[in-house]
Amino acid sequence: RVIVLSLFFLLTACSGGGTEGIEVVKEYANEIVPVVNGAYLEIIGQAEEGELQEGLRETAAKIREINDKYWDGVDFGGYTDEQILKWKILMQNAQGEKYEINGAELSDALAYMQLHSSMLADDIDVALDEPNNENYENLGESLGLAKQSAEKLVGIILNR
């Protein structure tokens, strides 16, 4: 009876596509986070030199390309927000410690990652097109938000 109950709880824990869905989440994080972190380092370095380089447009395009690949309007990776909200995904880290990913927390982290990285891409283009203090301030703000969102998403996936 214990085995049957354990299997039931395991199946319940992974209901709503969570087990397949977490793989899509990991793929998205593995693509978007390095681009955002790279943009952060590039922009900070260029700001210290006093001028943003035209090559940042490629970074903005890459961010949009990744978001377009995983986001279809409001749905992420073929899952609606309502589905993701129901996820309770049991995970295990390299040390064998088990933890649970909460769908509501994950849904927020994914939405903020998409929103803030898209804002960053837009602000990169605006700052390159019209270099002025206001546009640089907006770029700095969206850069900070995108970096925080990347850290939050990775933190949820890795239970940090």
Side-chain angles (χ1 to χ4, degrees):
R1 208 186 309 189
V2 172
I3 293 170
V4 173
L5 282 175
S6 297
L7 285 173
F8 173 76
F9 285 123
L10 186 61
L11 292 171
T12 304
C14 296
S15 66
T19 47
E20 299 85 22
I22 194 63
E23 293 307 315
V24 178
V25 170
K26 287 181 192 174
E27 289 169 18
Y28 176 62
N30 285 335
E31 288 187 49
I32 195 78
V33 170
V35 175
V36 167
N37 288 342
Y40 183 84
L41 294 174
E42 267 187 80
I43 292 169
I44 296 299
Q46 291 177 19
E48 288 173 0
E49 293 169 14
E51 188 178 348
L52 296 179
Q53 303 299 312
E54 195 62 31
L56 285 173
R57 283 195 203 279
E58 291 174 25
T59 302
K62 185 68 179 166
I63 289 169
R64 288 187 187 98
E65 177 186 317
I66 294 167
N67 280 332
D68 288 347
K69 177 179 173 182
Y70 289 93
W71 289 90
D72 176 21
V74 294
D75 293 342
F76 171 79
Y79 299 95
T80 65
D81 194 47
E82 290 78 28
Q83 289 172 310
I84 296 171
L85 287 170
K86 294 176 187 170
W87 290 357
K88 299 276 184 235
I89 304 164
L90 298 177
M91 301 288 288
Q92 184 171 327
N93 65 18
Q95 293 74 36
E97 300 163 330
K98 292 180 177 4
Y99 61 97
E100 181 181 277
I101 294 179
N102 175 300
E105 192 178 5
L106 180 61
S107 175
D108 285 349
L110 287 168
Y112 281 122
M113 184 74 259
Q114 192 274 341
L115 173 68
H116 293 146
S117 62
S118 295
M119 284 172 46
L120 174 59
D122 292 345
D123 286 344
I124 287 171
D125 286 339
V126 170
L128 288 169
D129 291 341
E130 298 177 45
N132 62 48
N133 285 341
E134 181 182 349
N135 291 339
Y136 289 151
E137 285 175 21
N138 291 341
L139 175 59
E141 187 176 326
S142 63
L143 184 61
L145 290 170
K147 182 143 176 47
Q148 286 175 354
S149 292
E151 290 167 0
K152 178 74 174 166
L153 182 59
V154 169
I156 289 171
I157 295 168
L158 299 179
N159 195 35
R160 290 188 182 153

